[in-house]
Amino acid sequence: MTVGHNSHMCRAHTEGRAGAGMHVPDQRFHAMPTGHFAIGDLSFSFEGSLEELAHCQEIVREIERAEHRLRRASGAEEVVVIYDQDLEGERGTFDKMRLRAYDDDHNYTLDLGVTDTNPLGIYVGYDQNIEVYDRDAGEAWQITPEGDPVQPDVDTSEANRREEPTAREADASRGPSSSSTQSTEPASSEGPSQAEIDRAAEVLLTRVRQQPSEQRVGETTIPDGPLGEKLLGFATYCGRDEGYLSRVLDVKSASGVGELTVGQVPDVLAMIKDEETLRQNESFEPDTDLPF
């Protein structure tokens, strides 16, 4: 399957003809560069500029990491692309593209969101929970990217799922579970690697660059959801507790994440990722009671 822009550029090569004694240059059309990609069991080609193809590759790599999480959770080798149509929701029917893996009894699913911020028009959240569906019992629940069950007593999405016709239609792109927020230490060997943390920060920065720099975080929504929630989710992903986040906010003279501006987000992400960066940015006011 070929998906892409500028399909009109793919034209047959034609050579000009001329009468005797006349030379006409070869009239050949140069096709746009083409990239070949795979998402799950779906292989496709995309035609576009080199910049667009590089962006496509970036998105595909994000999705490959999501596929790895599905394989790890399910124990399956294969991840397939599912296109569910006419799903029932509060606002009527809708279609959804999904990644899915299977074991003997369960479906493991990650929803792909729709966005206009990349050439492919799809994305997957780095902190997105995996939906697990028991085919025999007809029951569904969610697990975190690390594979821990989402606790229903602290995750309000559980109540939301009970109100829907079928749990498998629940939106899997909610924030991280409380099992992650209880961590008070930076990411360990059991958590995400530094490369994964850096990559998650890059994804957030890509989303943020589309927004006005002076706009408040609390008033900003990116394709993955409210920006404030995503910053809190990133801090949780890095294993940072509330005290650590308060230190970051103090550097920016903000009492809450929502008071930050979009332009401050890159610095905030850098300080959340690396405590040494935070220390370098922390300032200490002199004691005004001292006589010197």
Side-chain angles (χ1 to χ4, degrees):
M1 181 181 72
T2 300
V3 180
H5 300 299
N6 304 318
S7 58
H8 61 281
M9 296 297 292
C10 293
R11 302 168 181 167
H13 288 177
T14 59
E15 187 155 342
R17 296 181 180 274
M22 182 182 296
H23 173 73
V24 177
D26 188 9
Q27 303 293 325
R28 296 181 185 271
F29 292 94
H30 297 282
M32 294 284 284
T34 301
H36 305 283
F37 307 99
I39 296 175
D41 61 341
L42 175 66
S43 298
F44 62 97
S45 298
F46 188 96
E47 189 177 80
S49 66
L50 289 177
E51 291 80 4
E52 287 177 315
L53 296 182
H55 199 173
C56 288
Q57 186 161 294
E58 176 185 359
I59 300 306
V60 169
R61 284 172 179 161
E62 291 178 25
I63 295 174
E64 286 175 346
R65 278 184 285 274
E67 293 176 24
H68 175 71
R69 297 198 296 271
L70 283 175
R71 292 189 184 95
R72 184 174 58 194
S74 65
E77 289 295 325
E78 184 180 34
V79 174
V80 300
V81 176
I82 302 293
Y83 189 67
D84 284 334
Q85 296 178 285
D86 299 324
L87 299 175
E88 295 290 337
E90 293 181 359
R91 301 180 181 178
T93 60
F94 62 96
D95 300 341
K96 179 79 73 173
M97 187 179 292
R98 291 166 158 156
L99 298 173
R100 183 169 293 162
Y102 302 91
D103 65 15
D104 292 340
D105 304 306
H106 305 93
N107 301 351
Y108 298 81
T109 304
L110 276 171
D111 290 353
L112 295 177
V114 178
T115 180
D116 58 3
T117 61
N118 70 66
L120 293 181
I122 57 175
Y123 72 93
V124 63
Y126 69 88
D127 59 349
Q128 190 167 310
N129 292 334
I130 297 171
E131 183 187 81
V132 184
Y133 178 72
D134 188 315
R135 295 191 295 273
D136 292 332
E139 298 177 350
W141 60 95
Q142 289 191 353
I143 60 176
T144 68
E146 294 75 29
D148 300 319
V150 172
Q151 300 299 324
D153 58 332
V154 292
D155 191 303
T156 56
S157 63
E158 180 72 18
N160 294 335
R161 286 197 297 278
R162 292 197 191 102
E163 297 174 0
E164 297 189 6
T166 58
R168 66 186 291 274
E169 296 167 9
D171 184 357
S173 60
R174 297 182 176 93
S177 73
S178 65
S179 59
S180 299
T181 61
Q182 292 172 359
S183 173
T184 58
E185 297 297 327
S188 67
S189 59
E190 296 180 357
S193 67
Q194 188 60 47
E196 289 173 321
I197 288 173
D198 290 342
R199 182 61 192 154
E202 289 176 14
V203 171
L204 262 180
L205 285 174
T206 299
R207 308 281 195 260
V208 166
R209 290 189 187 105
Q210 311 295 324
Q211 307 297 328
S213 61
E214 298 304 318
Q215 186 168 287
R216 295 288 182 185
V217 166
E219 302 169 354
T220 304
T221 299
I222 58 176
D224 310 73
L227 179 55
E229 291 183 8
K230 292 302 165 183
L231 287 179
L232 293 173
F234 180 73
T236 298
Y237 186 66
C238 296
R240 304 306 189 186
D241 60 14
E242 291 184 6
Y244 187 98
L245 189 57
S246 293
R247 290 170 58 194
V248 173
L249 294 175
D250 285 345
V251 170
K252 294 299 181 181
S253 301
S255 60
V257 170
E259 292 186 6
L260 296 167
T261 64
V262 170
Q264 292 175 317
V265 169
D267 288 345
V268 169
L269 292 177
M271 289 186 287
I272 291 175
K273 284 197 309 178
D274 180 43
E275 188 167 9
E276 182 58 33
T277 301
L278 172 59
R279 291 195 187 102
Q280 291 173 2
N281 282 275
E282 283 179 316
S283 60
F284 299 91
E285 295 296 331
D287 188 343
T288 54
D289 292 335
L290 294 175
F292 50 86

